[in-house]
Amino acid sequence: MNHPGRILVCGCLVLFGLTALLLMAVAVTLAPPPGDLVALAAFLLISGGLTLALGVGIAYLGWPSWASSLRARLLLTSTFTTMLALVNVGFTAFLMFISPHDLAILAGLLGFALGMSIFLAIVLSSSTTRSFHQVVAAVTQISGGNLAVRVPMHSHDEVGRLASAFNDMVERVEASFNKERDLELARRELIASVSHDLRTPLASIRAMVESINDGVVTDPATVKRYLKTLEVEVENLSQLINDLFELSQMDAGVLKLDMETSSLTDLISDTLESMSVQATAEGRNLHLKGSVEGEVAHVMMDPRRVQRVLYNLVQNAIRYTPSDGSVQILARDTGTEVQVEVKDTGEGIPPEELSRIFDRFYRTEQSRSRGSGGTGLGLSIAKGIVEAHGGRLWVESAIGKGSTFGFALPKKTPVISR
């Protein structure tokens, strides 16, 4: 059964049921003449039938063209229902009153009530239609690109809930748009940075290979030096590609962690042993040391990747710390997590650059070459590894006083989201 059909059946049941109940109540309480009961029943069935026909017609054919607005529909509905009630009252009074004078007064009162009900319907519908007009205006502005628009809430009814839901939707759309814009900007910066970092070593490799192949360089010592340089440049390119591959795994959420219970103290010892040569290379004589505050509990982690985080932080500290400076690794147990800090006495990081220090390909000095400043991916990868463990990574720095990079891993088994 279609929708208008269901309305017709339900309406007929309601009409006949209400008519029967009203006739029974009138017969019991007033005991009118049988002719009045018949007239009353006929009137109720006719007026109710017309009302039912109007409802079914609107449900089946839709509202008339001149009632296309919500306000017109509310006004029409209020007016029709009020007129139906007043006509029922007037007909009942006609059956009950004998005096034409009393019937005329009642008719005037019914007309007054109809006028006031129409006025009230106009007033009450204006707030509702105004709210819908605000929603439509907001949608128009959003379609024009203004995502900052919001619909004011004047009530807590269905219209108010619509405005609230609309505002929530716009906030989510705005957040999604901003995220997409940031991702697009990051993608462009990534492509530009990768192109720059690939172009320089490739140009160097090409120049050296052409020099050897064209016979420009024939001295065995020079050829050997060129080949050694080529090996270093190829290694740098391989490292860059590996870093990009690891970043892509982090972005895709498929970074695989081989979790096991391990000691951060052991990782610190291995890092100190491996980095001691870099600390004293080229006569720099840096003081590299490590310490542990009390007992540090074992944590669930991927030792190889956490070791890479430590290597990266210590390498950065060594790179930017002047001769006779110091680099210290400190571990402590805070109860819920284990923290590791790498402190140096280097040049420090400008405050305006701290917010971007973990961005990909970002170097505190844009003029740094790959040889002096690295690829600019190490801190991004370190941050991704730590966060994949459910931990956090931070930095504190002051110009002329050095920097402190720290990370914390939870002692309980983390929920791996990558």
Side-chain angles (χ1 to χ4, degrees):
M1 184 182 297
N2 56 19
H3 183 63
R6 289 196 300 269
I7 295 178
L8 179 61
V9 172
C10 294
C12 290
L13 293 177
V14 172
L15 174 61
F16 287 116
L18 290 177
T19 301
L21 289 176
L22 180 60
L23 292 177
M24 291 175 59
V26 170
V28 172
T29 58
L30 301 178
D36 289 349
L37 281 177
V38 172
L40 180 61
F43 173 77
L44 293 177
L45 292 176
I46 292 173
S47 63
L50 292 176
T51 304
L52 180 60
L54 179 62
V56 174
I58 292 177
Y60 184 75
L61 300 175
W63 290 87
S65 58
W66 53 269
S68 58
S69 67
L70 178 62
R71 186 173 188 176
R73 294 179 182 182
L74 292 174
L75 181 61
L76 181 61
T77 301
S78 175
T79 302
F80 184 79
T81 54
T82 303
M83 288 183 60
L84 177 64
L86 296 181
V87 168
N88 283 320
V89 172
F91 182 77
T92 305
F94 175 78
L95 294 178
M96 296 173 59
F97 289 119
I98 299 177
S99 171
H101 174 268
D102 294 340
L103 188 59
I105 294 177
L106 178 62
L109 293 176
L110 294 177
F112 174 80
L114 176 61
M116 292 304 299
S117 65
I118 293 175
F119 171 77
L120 185 61
I122 295 175
V123 172
L124 295 180
S125 64
S126 62
S127 61
T128 302
T129 54
R130 183 172 61 252
S131 299
F132 281 110
H133 286 319
Q134 290 174 342
V135 174
V136 173
V139 171
T140 303
Q141 293 186 51
I142 290 174
S143 63
N146 181 15
L147 295 179
V149 66
R150 297 293 185 271
V151 178
M153 294 179 56
H154 303 291
S155 63
H156 298 284
D157 55 6
E158 288 81 357
V159 178
R161 290 196 293 271
L162 173 63
S164 177
F166 178 85
N167 291 336
D168 292 341
M169 178 197 69
V170 175
E171 289 179 1
R172 290 193 295 270
V173 171
E174 185 178 18
S176 176
F177 175 79
N178 292 336
K179 182 179 180 181
E180 182 178 354
R181 181 185 58 192
D182 293 341
L183 288 175
E184 177 64 19
L185 179 60
R187 183 187 67 83
R188 292 180 180 179
E189 291 180 350
L190 177 64
I191 293 175
S193 300
V194 170
S195 300
H196 176 270
D197 280 17
L198 289 176
R199 186 184 300 113
T200 301
L202 286 175
S204 178
I205 291 173
R206 179 178 180 180
M208 288 185 287
V209 170
E210 288 179 350
S211 297
I212 295 174
N213 286 338
D214 295 343
V216 176
V217 176
T218 57
D219 179 58
T222 305
V223 171
K224 184 177 181 180
R225 179 166 57 85
Y226 273 28
L227 292 176
K228 183 62 178 179
T229 304
L230 287 172
E231 182 181 4
V232 173
E233 292 293 354
V234 170
E235 179 62 29
N236 288 337
L237 288 176
S238 299
Q239 183 60 45
L240 174 60
I241 293 172
N242 291 336
D243 289 346
L244 291 172
F245 178 71
E246 193 156 19
L247 281 174
S248 68
Q249 287 184 312
M250 294 178 183
D251 291 340
V254 295
L255 180 64
K256 182 180 179 181
L257 298 178
D258 297 324
M259 304 295 288
E260 61 181 66
T261 302
S262 302
S263 171
L264 279 171
T265 304
D266 294 339
L267 295 184
I268 293 174
S269 299
D270 294 340
T271 302
L272 291 173
E273 182 178 355
S274 301
M275 295 294 166
S276 59
V277 176
Q278 295 186 26
T280 58
E282 301 179 358
R284 301 183 64 189
N285 194 28
L286 296 179
H287 302 283
L288 181 61
K289 57 183 178 179
S291 61
V292 178
E293 293 184 358
E295 293 291 332
V296 176
H298 287 48
V299 294
M300 183 67 69
M301 62 181 176
D302 184 336
R304 180 177 63 85
R305 295 190 183 276
V306 175
Q307 182 79 77
R308 180 175 182 183
V309 174
L310 266 174
Y311 280 165
N312 180 271
L313 298 183
V314 174
Q315 281 178 340
N316 282 346
I318 293 175
R319 180 180 295 121
Y320 300 123
T321 301
S323 299
D324 298 323
S326 65
V327 176
Q328 180 182 8
I329 307 175
L330 175 63
R332 66 170 64 93
D333 192 326
T334 63
T336 59
E337 58 186 12
V338 175
Q339 294 183 359
V340 178
E341 293 181 347
V342 178
K343 300 181 178 181
D344 64 61
T345 57
E347 57 197 50
I349 303 172
E352 64 274 10
E353 296 185 356
L354 285 176
S355 61
R356 297 196 60 192
I357 197 67
F358 296 109
D359 291 355
R360 298 171 184 179
F361 288 101
Y362 186 76
R363 302 183 180 97
T364 55
E365 293 183 18
Q366 296 302 316
S367 60
R368 292 187 186 273
S369 64
R370 174 183 296 278
S372 62
T375 65
L377 294 176
L379 289 178
S380 298
I381 294 175
K383 185 173 184 290
I385 291 174
V386 172
E387 291 180 348
H389 282 79
R392 53 193 178 91
L393 180 66
W394 68 91
V395 60
E396 299 172 357
S397 184
I399 296 296
K401 296 183 179 180
S403 304
T404 299
F405 284 85
F407 66 91
L409 299 179
K411 292 171 64 175
K412 64 179 182 179
T413 302
V415 178
I416 305 301
S417 60
R418 294 182 180 272

